[in-house]
Every structure is written in structure tokens, then in C-alpha cells.
Amino acid sequence: MEVRVFSTDHAFAPAEAPDNEDHAALDEDYVLTPAFVEKVVDAADDGDGMRLRSLLEDLHPADVADLMGFLTAEHRAVVVLWLPPELLAETLPELDDGIREEVLERVPHGTLAEALQELDSDDAAAVVEDLEDDQRERVLAAMPEVERAAIESSLGYAEESAGRLMQREVMAAPQFWSVGDTIDHIRKQGDDLPELFFDIYVVDPVNRPVGGVAISALLRAARSARLTDLMEPVNEIAVDQDQEEVAYIFEKYHLISAPVVDAGGRLVGQITVDDIVNIIQEENREDILRLAGVADEDRGSSVAEIVRGRVPWLAINLATAALGASVIGLFEGTIQQIVALAVLMPIVSAIGGNAGTQALTVTVRALATRELNSANATRTFLRELLVGMANGLILAPLIGVAAGFWFRDENWKIGLVIGAAMILNLLVAACIGVLTPLTLSKLKFDPAVSSAVFVTATTDFFGFLIFLGLATLVLL
């Protein structure tokens, strides 16, 4: 059998600018080049709409969205007016939330209504959700009744639920159909079907899914074959299920698509893997930002929004730092007699803070991926405790010997004190790094939001207390 191999070099080559004198819009890493961004800026400054359209019309919507992030608000206002409706429609769901809200304010409601008709219902609902109430009413009023009803129905579900995430366009077939019946139906429906679908859901007479047939299986089967003979069980998603749970189901069972059902088990839509990739990236991004005590920021966030998101956590850190300083105040007399302690005590707290953050990060990730629960919590805790002990036994001799030689003229025992304090604080760091997110999760709080503050505060407090307490007992 002859096997033909087709080159994909052209399909994945960086997009070229429309005319010969321009360089490629993307570099070898698929990032917009500074030269191309400068060309867009120059065209926007000159008000050259035709030039802008020629530069942008061959770009992928994701690259147009990336370009918007590099531009100022003034340049975005010009560029968005020259995007063809179809390209504008596909670009809007790709934009950062802050930039999308700003862009939507610039687009006439008639143009926006036309653009939204090019999108699947889930993407259109995500865009309409960001509109102000009066603008939303005008845009929906300008849309055909069918598309308007689909968007309004999606917006009726809770945020971050499967109902809000799903697309209502879905390919379903009754149980008695054959492969030939299904293929003929697909060809007749044309644009009425989802733009992209991977499975055909077989439904019973009351529209409840009883199985699914992959497109690949359908195309390989004879026309006379019954769908019920080809179908496989499907993982049904409840319409009110949280999007994080949906992402977990997709990841665990390696799904490409899944049917969404209402309270009665009837098929109301589908969720595809492209939506899940966005959810996973969004959740990971939020967790990373929250671990640092930072709000959900993007390239479109203003200075005021960023400050409002960061100041509360910095204020909490200020309070916890004052708590650590109060411990130092308790041992003021000891520090006055042995000045070397002031030099060494930040080392103990810093190492403890880093170790606690390591344990915290691993635990939060395990909770997010559901690798950690009550069944293995004790084992995880003991493992991190042993890791903390091992790290302490490795690092303590190093800092102990160094401190002993460094301050041997004052008191060589200071090396023993800092070594013992480091071991004990690393044990504290391991405990607090695991127990804090576990406790917050048990109390139904997001462990990624505030765990880092508790961990650093605890390791600082106990690091100073243990080190200065041991120094008082041993050296004085």
C-alpha cells in the first residue's frame, strides 16, 4: 500500500505581510515582530485604513488579539474600526478581558451584531456578557431572533458553569438512523450544524443521549451500519456543573467533546476540547497570580485596577511583618549582647519561607489536580515532614560551620544554634506549607488565594522565635 506524506511547512509557516516589501508578521517563535507592530502603529497614526486592513486581513485571529495587547488604547480604537466583521468576530473571544471591554465600547452595535452572528453560541455569549446593559440590549435587538435566543439562553446559566461554557449547536441523531442517513443529513444541513464537531450524539425519543459516535468511526463504517452498533458510552456533563469540574473530567478521561444535559437528562448542547484548554489556562493563570497575592491582571489593566488588587495583600503582609518584628523585640537584650544574631537571623527565616513556599506550591497543585484528598493527606504530610528534616540535616551543617568560623571570636556555639534553628524552622515550614492549603480547602476557601501570606508569616515568626530563643538559652 502506498503511503503519501504531505508537507506541513506551509500550513505552519509564520504569516507573511500582504506585500513584498514587508517582512514576516511573525518570527520563528510565532510572536509578532516589532517591525510589524511598528507598521501597524504607523498606519494607525496616519489614519490609513486600507493599509491597516491589508496588514491585518491575513493574520490569524489569535495574532490579531496579541497585536491588540501591544497597542495603546488610541491605536486599538483605530485598528478595530478597520477589521472585517468576520475577523473581528473571531478576534473578540481571543482578547484579554480588559482589552475586550475597551474594544467593545468602540464598535458600533450594528457591526457588532453582524460579527456575533459569525460565532458559535458559546463564544458569542462570552462577548455579549462583557457589554454594558444598554449596549447589550441594542446589539441583541439588531440580531436575528434565533441567534438572539441562543445567546440569551446561554446567559441565563450561572457564570463559570457548563451551561455558560457550552455551545448550543450540536449534532444529534435518533437511535434508528444508519450511517448513510446520518451522512446525508449532515450534507443537507450545511451551515446549520456546528462549525466544528467531533462526535454525533445518539438520542432516544425524548432527546436524552444514549451514546456517541466519533466522526472517524462514522466515516469508516458502511452506510447500512446502525448508529446503535457503532456508538460508545458518553460522559454526560450536567448543565449546572462548575467549569473546573468539567475541565477535570475532560483531562481525566481524555475527552475531545462531551454532551451537556439539563436536569431531565435531555441534550441541550456540547462542550469541546478547545473550550477546556482555555479554561485550564485561565485557572492556572489565576492560581499563579493568587499564590503571589495578585489580582487577576492582564495587559489591559489600568494602574488603578492593579493597585486596588495588590494593596490589600501588601497591607496584610505589612501586618504579618510587624508580627515578626514583635518577636525580635522580645529578644532585644539578647541581640544587644550578641550582635551577630542580627546578621544571621534573616537567614533562618528566609530559608524557612522558601521551603514553606515549595511545600505550599506542591500541595496547592495536588489539590487543584485532585491528586490530594483525605485518602492520602496523612501520607503527603509525613512525606513533606521527612523532606523538611532531610533538607535541614543537609543545610544545617553548612550554615553552622560557616557561622562558627565567621563569629568564632564571639562564640563558636552560634554555629550550633543556627544549625538547630534551621532544622526546626524547616520542619515548621513543611507543616504549615501542607496544612494551610488543606485547611483552607476543607473550609471551602480557595487555597491559592491566601496560603502564601500565612506560610511566610508563620515561618518568619517561628524562625525568629526559635533562633533567638535557642540563642538566649545556649549562648547567655
Side-chain angles (χ1 to χ4, degrees), residues 277-320:
V277 170
N278 292 335
I279 295 302
I280 292 174
Q281 291 179 336
E282 178 184 328
E283 296 295 340
N284 288 341
R285 176 173 170 270
E286 287 180 0
D287 287 345
I288 290 172
L289 292 174
R290 287 171 176 175
L291 278 172
V294 179
D296 189 12
E297 301 172 8
D298 56 41
R299 290 181 292 185
S301 300
S302 66
V303 173
E305 292 171 338
I306 294 173
V307 170
R308 280 197 301 268
R310 297 186 186 184
V311 162
W313 292 109
L314 291 176
I316 294 174
N317 284 334
L318 182 61
T320 57

Side-chain angles (χ1 to χ4, degrees), residues 321-384:
L323 181 63
S326 67
V327 175
I328 299 174
L330 297 175
F331 297 94
E332 184 178 353
T334 303
I335 296 174
Q336 288 178 347
Q337 295 184 56
I338 309 174
V339 179
L341 298 178
V343 177
L344 296 175
M345 62 184 183
I347 298 176
V348 179
S349 64
I351 294 297
N354 288 335
T357 301
Q358 290 175 339
L360 167 66
T361 304
V362 171
T363 305
V364 169
R365 175 195 170 277
L367 286 170
T369 57
R370 307 193 183 187
E371 297 173 2
L372 176 60
N373 54 36
S374 56
N376 62 345
T378 301
R379 185 168 67 252
T380 300
F381 174 75
L382 293 176
R383 184 190 66 186
E384 288 298 328

